[in-house]
């Protein structure tokens, strides 16, 4: 009969102070790296663009007289005027706001094109589509390359929104995401807005006509 | 009559729980004869408002101001001579930050042959021209118009639903949009008969 093997107890040798400090440093370092990664992720997430910002139109800002591209056609704002009454065809249209008439020159770039979207934007960020109360001369007008067309677009806006308006155009009518979009400041100040409000006569919406080539 | 007596004796001799089940079944059957088993429509979740109350309903605020019954009324053209026009008048203000062209969605009738149908016409009261767009901050009186068949019952009041939408993220596009068109209020509008 043989004796059972003796029981051996294994115990790690006591670490010296230097090793313990080094291990603690490693653990703190790893913890720090994890926290830093989480913090950086949070910062990135906080500054990430939302869908509205990521897919916003590419705005080409400009002023009256400057040519700006709407991708398939170019736009030049030639002038702006306003009143509280508008004559189009045989009808006179009144409004509780103001009629803003923007005269533009449009020309297709390479292929025939249409204006799908025309709107004015006020300083509060509200947008007002071109009025559909009457037939607009440039609506559904096919633009041809090299043949500029001039005409007016009528917008109906609240009286308080007139000063500071800018006009936007696009070839798309519904989906305006990530498309080139001119935004041309109309240069309307409060004095001009007040003058338009006091104007008693109806403005006649100008027909579309060929522009200078 | 022997079978009656036999049946009565079997019922009397039946265990108590069978008697209770039988009585309960008989009560349910009896209640069914007087409509006890008929389905009950859930109460409307939209509140009832009064004529002239401004109702914020998402992208627009709507104030229903009245209703009319009209005969032939140019420039409207009746599809069938002898029909009538049913008109709901409302002031609509776009409170969203963009022009809206879904004005036809705002008003529906609740009862009658026109219930739930889109208006045949939507006109701006100020110039009797069709409405396509309404713009932010420019309230307008709008006429929502349906053609009522000549033989249909002429209403003295209309049950009107005012619809609205909710500004939320569209799960398809991940963008905020006005969605979930649904009734936001109901009201009863007296009809003024203006056919003569």
């Amino acid at each position: 009969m043989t004796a059972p093997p003796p029981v051996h107890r294994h115990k790690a040798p006591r670490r010296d102070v230097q090793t313990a400090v080094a291990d603690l440093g490693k653990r703190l370092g790893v913890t720090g790296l994890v926290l830093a990664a989480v913090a950086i992720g949070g910062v990135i997430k906080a500054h990430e663009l939302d869908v509205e910002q990521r897919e916003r139109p590419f705005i080409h800002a400009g002023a009256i007289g400057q040519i700006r591209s709407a991708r398939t056609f170019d736009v030049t704002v030639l002038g702006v005027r306003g009143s509280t009454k508008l004559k189009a065809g045989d009808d006179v249209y009144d409004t509780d706001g103001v009629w803003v008439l923007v005269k533009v020159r449009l020309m297709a770039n390479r292929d025939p094109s249409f204006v799908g979207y025309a709107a004015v934007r006020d300083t509060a960020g509200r947008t007002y589509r071109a009025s559909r109360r009457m037939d607009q001369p440039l609506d559904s007008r096919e633009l041809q390359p090299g043949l500029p067309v001039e005409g007016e677009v009528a917008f109906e806006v609240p009286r308080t929104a007139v000063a500071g308006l800018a006009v936007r155009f696009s070839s798309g009518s519904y989906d305006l995401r990530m498309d080139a979009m001119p935004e041309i400041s109309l240069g309307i100040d409060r004095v001009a807005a007040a003058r338009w409000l006091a104007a008693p006569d109806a403005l006649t919406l100008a027909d579309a006509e060929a522009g200078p080539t | 009559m022997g079978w009656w007596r036999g049946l009565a004796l079997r019922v009397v001799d039946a265990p108590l729980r069978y008697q209770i089940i039988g009585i309960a079944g008989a009560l349910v059957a009896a209640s069914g004869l007087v409509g006890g088993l008929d389905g009950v429509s859930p109460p409307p979740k939209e509140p009832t408002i009064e004529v002239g109350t401004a109702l914020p309903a998402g992208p627009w605020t709507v104030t229903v101001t009245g209703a009319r019954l009209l005969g032939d009324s140019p420039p409207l053209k009746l599809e069938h001579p002898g029909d009538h026009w049913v008109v709901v008048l409302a002031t609509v203000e776009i409170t969203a930050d963009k022009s809206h062209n879904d004005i036809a969605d705002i008003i529906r009738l609740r009862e009658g042959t026109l219930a739930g149908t889109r208006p045949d016409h939507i006109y701006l009261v100020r110039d009797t021209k069709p409405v396509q767009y309404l713009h932010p901050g420019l309230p307008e009186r709008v006429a929502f118009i349906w053609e009522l068949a000549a033989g249909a019952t002429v209403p003295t009041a209309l049950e009107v639903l005012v619809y609205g939408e909710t500004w939320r993220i569209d799960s398809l596009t991940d963008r905020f949009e006005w969605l979930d068109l649904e009734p936001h209020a109901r009201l009863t509008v007296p009809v003024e008969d203006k056919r003569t």
Side-chain angles (χ1 to χ4, degrees):
Chain A
M1 190 170 175
T2 58
V7 176
H8 295 284
R9 293 182 183 277
H10 297 282
K11 189 175 180 183
R14 182 182 292 275
R15 293 181 299 173
D16 57 29
V17 173
Q18 194 174 5
T19 306
V21 170
D23 286 349
L24 182 62
K26 282 180 187 172
R27 288 177 182 167
L28 287 175
V30 170
T31 305
L33 284 174
V34 170
L35 290 175
V38 170
I40 291 170
V43 170
I44 291 173
K45 185 73 180 168
H47 289 82
E48 187 182 40
L49 297 178
D50 62 21
V51 176
E52 293 287 342
Q53 293 169 316
R54 275 202 310 270
E55 298 182 354
R56 66 190 184 279
F58 295 99
I59 297 294
H60 295 176
I64 291 178
Q66 296 177 332
I67 300 174
R68 287 294 178 267
S69 172
R71 190 170 54 83
T72 61
F73 61 90
D74 288 340
V75 181
T76 311
V77 173
L78 303 174
V80 61
R81 56 189 183 138
S83 179
T84 54
K85 289 181 182 172
L86 174 64
K87 188 171 187 297
D90 294 330
D91 296 318
V92 174
Y93 298 86
D94 63 352
T95 175
D96 290 338
V98 178
W99 289 109
V100 176
L101 275 58
V102 181
K103 185 171 186 181
V104 292
R105 180 183 299 141
L106 307 171
M107 189 170 72
N109 288 326
R110 293 177 53 190
D111 300 307
S113 181
F114 293 92
V115 176
Y117 173 85
V120 287
R121 189 169 189 269
D122 68 13
T123 54
R126 297 185 298 182
T127 53
Y128 310 83
R129 286 252 191 170
S131 179
R132 296 283 183 144
R133 289 176 60 185
M134 72 293 296
D135 292 330
Q136 298 248 16
L138 290 173
D139 192 27
S140 304
R141 171 85 177 225
E142 189 174 44
L143 307 173
Q144 301 291 344
L147 295 174
V149 174
E150 292 181 0
E152 280 185 321
V153 186
F155 301 92
E156 188 179 12
V157 301
R159 297 175 177 218
T160 54
V162 178
L165 283 175
V167 66
R168 289 179 161 193
F169 291 92
S170 174
S171 54
S173 57
Y174 176 72
D175 189 355
L176 306 175
R177 291 176 297 174
M178 302 177 75
D179 202 355
M181 181 180 283
E183 180 179 282
I184 298 164
S185 173
L186 297 176
I188 307 168
D189 57 21
R190 294 189 183 280
V191 176
R195 194 171 65 245
W196 294 350
L197 275 171
D201 298 328
L203 298 177
T204 300
L205 185 62
D207 279 336
E209 56 185 18
T213 53
Chain B
M1 293 297 286
W3 68 273
W4 259 120
R5 193 159 177 273
L7 179 62
L9 286 174
R10 288 185 65 185
V11 169
V12 170
D13 289 342
L16 180 61
R17 67 173 181 274
Y18 290 161
Q19 291 177 342
I20 292 173
I21 291 171
I23 291 169
L27 287 174
V28 170
S31 72
L33 294 176
V34 293
L37 299 179
D38 293 348
V40 178
S41 52
K45 61 180 181 180
E46 67 275 3
T48 300
I49 60 173
E50 300 294 323
V51 174
T53 304
L55 176 76
W60 41 66
T61 293
V62 182
T63 309
V64 175
T65 55
R68 306 273 192 278
L69 192 65
L70 305 176
D72 191 22
S73 306
L76 296 170
K77 289 184 179 176
L78 289 164
E79 188 174 351
H80 304 289
D83 286 358
H84 316 293
W85 296 114
V86 171
V87 182
V88 173
L89 296 167
T91 300
V92 180
E93 178 177 2
I94 301 300
T95 50
D97 62 359
K98 291 181 172 62
S99 303
H100 270 254
N101 65 348
D102 44 0
I103 310 305
D105 291 337
I106 295 176
I107 297 290
R108 290 287 183 275
L109 303 180
R110 272 190 60 228
E111 295 176 352
T113 56
L114 302 172
T117 59
R118 289 173 67 88
D120 295 313
H121 305 280
I122 314 166
Y123 272 58
L124 212 58
V125 172
R126 84 165 55 237
D127 58 10
T128 60
K129 294 278 174 57
V131 175
Q132 290 193 41
Y133 276 96
L134 290 180
H135 308 287
L138 284 172
E140 288 286 356
R141 288 192 75 208
V142 177
F144 298 85
I145 305 167
W146 292 262
E147 183 169 345
L148 181 66
T153 305
V154 174
T156 56
L158 295 175
E159 297 295 315
V160 172
L161 290 172
V162 180
Y163 278 68
E165 294 176 322
T166 303
W167 183 245
R168 69 168 176 84
I169 290 180
D170 184 350
S171 57
L172 190 64
T173 63
D174 209 23
R175 297 163 67 94
F176 272 96
E177 294 179 24
W178 289 107
L179 300 167
D180 306 331
L181 181 71
E182 58 185 358
H184 278 219
R186 59 171 58 200
L187 67 162
T188 303
V189 188
V191 176
E192 287 183 58
D193 192 340
K194 301 261 189 177
R195 286 176 293 175
T196 55

